[in-house]
Amino acid sequence: MSQRKAFITGITGQDGSYLAELLLSKDYEVHGLVRRVALEDPGHRLGRIAHVRDRLILHAGSLESFPSLYQIVRQVQPHECYHLASQSFVSYSFDDEFSTLNTNINGTHYLLAAVKEAAPACRFYFAGSSEMFGKAEEVPQTELTRFHPRSAYGISKVAGFDLTRNYREAYGLYASSGILFNHESARRGYEFVTRKITSGVAAIVAGKAKQVRLGNLEARRDWGHAPDYVEAMWMMLQQGVPDDYVVATGETHSVREFCQVAFSLAGLDYRDHVVTDALLHRPAEVDLLIGNPAKARATLGWSTHTNFQMLVRLMVEADCRVAGVSLAGKAIGV
Ligand code: GDD
């Protein structure tokens, strides 16, 4: 069989970089969509994929331009398309609802339309989100739980999910959505709460900071490890029929518990360092997310390899390495 080709949007992000590694390990020819500015500033913008950069084929284009997506899809003729790119920071979606909705909804729509027109046999993955459940109507959340999004981000993901399903039903596209709960790693962006906490712990251990300023400590999330989650994406596109799947650990923890565990790894009490700031609370919060991954387990054979304690530890240790210190605060070579 000829080499399989995959096209990834969002390849420079946390998930895109792990997915690119996974597909390369499976001998795919991996193509990625990047912004023109990323190619002009690779040191800064392509950091997460620098170690595999020479094995990837990157295409400059924009989710805001249907013609650019259409041309790339037509030229590449991918067997699988993973649509991960979006404005993904929920908090920012309150500051700019309009660009979040425009980019996320139109970007998904343009890409689906490009695949339908230019490579209709290509299998399509949409990165849905547990933010679609929002003010969750049942606990735990499954594929059948009704959506009640609480932000422009969540609304944009519901629209993308519906578009993906509609392209499956109306045009026969092999199009699946993962309803992914929070997934973190040492490559997580610094604006998300887990990385903010673990990089904050490292800065305190290194003597470069004294405090971490956070918003709502009582919010509860189902946090998993990102490399496990990209495996589920790939598995979804290897099935006989397209479908939608919840991908989660089935465990929930509060932001406060995350702080407790992260600081205690360095022998610190989070209460001495975490400061809460009302300005960091969201206008509408998602209080509790916990997913039931039974369908993904049974149908895909998917499972997690990293539990909550392991996840916090690997993130704190990685950030300490970046800061050049051991957990005990001793200087180490970076
Ligand atoms: N970012 C952030 N910063 N969040 C904070 C802070 C803070 O200083 N303090 C408390 N939180 C709380 C938020 O209010 C939220 O309840 C929780 O921590 C998690 O926030 P984020 O880490 O920003 O992630 P998220 O849950 O909003 O969204 C992430 O997960 C989704 C999947 O459920 C993102 O990765 C989304 O793109 C993804 O779809």
Side-chain angles (χ1 to χ4, degrees):
M1 200 169 73
S2 63
Q3 190 180 24
R4 296 191 68 72
K5 289 188 267 185
F7 177 51
I8 305 174
T9 72
I11 195 167
T12 60
Q14 168 188 261
D15 294 3
S17 65
Y18 285 121
L19 181 62
E21 282 173 15
L22 178 75
L23 296 175
L24 286 171
S25 77
K26 294 182 183 296
D27 205 27
Y28 279 71
E29 181 178 297
V30 180
H31 296 253
L33 177 74
V34 294
R35 295 199 190 98
R36 164 81 42 210
V37 286
L39 294 175
E40 287 163 4
D41 182 12
H44 177 222
R45 298 189 189 248
L46 301 181
R48 291 188 182 93
I49 51 172
H51 59 297
V52 287
R53 169 74 185 85
D54 58 353
R55 298 170 64 201
L56 303 172
I57 303 164
L58 301 181
H59 302 264
S62 166
L63 276 187
E64 281 148 33
S65 155
F66 172 77
S68 77
L69 297 174
Y70 177 80
Q71 277 168 23
I72 296 166
V73 171
R74 194 185 56 178
Q75 183 206 327
V76 172
Q77 289 295 312
H79 299 92
E80 295 170 16
C81 174
Y82 296 86
H83 179 37
L84 313 184
S86 73
Q87 191 301 96
S88 67
F89 188 28
V90 176
S91 193
Y92 178 71
S93 79
F94 288 104
D95 299 332
D96 193 347
E97 296 176 353
F98 290 85
S99 76
T100 302
L101 291 170
N102 284 339
T103 308
N104 291 4
I105 299 177
N106 291 341
T108 304
H109 194 185
Y110 294 157
L111 189 57
L112 278 165
V115 168
K116 168 178 165 267
E117 295 302 325
C122 173
R123 295 186 168 201
F124 184 90
Y125 170 83
F126 173 66
S129 162
S130 53
E131 280 292 304
M132 300 191 299
F133 296 122
K135 193 167 162 44
E137 299 193 358
E138 64 177 334
V139 178
Q141 294 89 52
T142 74
E143 293 79 5
L144 301 177
T145 304
R146 207 149 66 99
F147 296 143
H148 186 147
R150 297 267 282 171
S151 63
Y153 171 81
I155 293 166
S156 76
K157 286 291 178 181
V158 172
F161 180 89
D162 284 339
L163 277 164
T164 303
R165 191 182 47 202
N166 198 234
Y167 267 66
R168 176 166 82 216
E169 292 173 358
Y171 308 119
L173 217 68
Y174 185 115
S176 297
S177 291
I179 306 175
L180 266 56
F181 283 62
N182 298 49
H183 44 286
E184 320 292 313
S185 73
R187 295 185 197 167
R188 191 55 149 145
Y190 287 95
E191 68 274 36
F192 297 96
V193 76
T194 54
R195 191 76 196 276
K196 195 170 168 186
I197 296 166
T198 60
S199 62
V201 168
I204 291 166
V205 171
K208 293 182 184 141
K210 291 198 163 26
Q211 292 180 338
V212 180
R213 190 165 287 272
L214 297 175
N216 179 13
L217 299 186
E218 310 315 328
R220 301 183 73 84
R221 289 291 183 277
D222 180 328
W223 278 296
H225 190 212
D228 293 343
Y229 286 51
V230 302
E231 275 179 27
M233 297 175 189
W234 177 78
M235 288 169 163
M236 279 179 223
L237 296 199
Q238 314 311 311
Q239 303 306 302
V241 288
D243 204 348
D244 307 319
Y245 299 88
V246 159
V247 182
T249 68
E251 255 188 55
T252 191
H253 297 274
S254 65
V255 173
R256 184 182 296 282
E257 281 171 70
F258 196 104
C259 291
Q260 259 162 2
V261 175
F263 277 87
S264 69
L265 285 167
L268 301 170
D269 186 332
Y270 80 98
R271 289 169 297 191
D272 297 332
H273 301 281
V274 171
V275 179
T276 54
D277 182 340
L279 289 175
L280 294 171
H281 283 243
R282 297 175 179 178
E285 176 64 286
V286 170
D287 296 316
L288 167 67
L289 290 176
I290 174 167
N292 177 350
K295 181 176 167 184
R297 281 199 194 117
T299 311
L300 306 177
W302 178 81
S303 61
T304 45
H305 307 294
T306 310
N307 67 25
F308 178 70
Q309 304 284 337
M310 289 155 73
L311 174 68
V312 183
R313 174 176 279 279
L314 74 84
M315 290 181 70
V316 172
E317 287 179 346
D319 275 322
C320 283
R321 274 196 301 279
V322 171
V325 285
S326 70
L327 274 175
K330 297 222 168 64
I332 52 166
V334 185

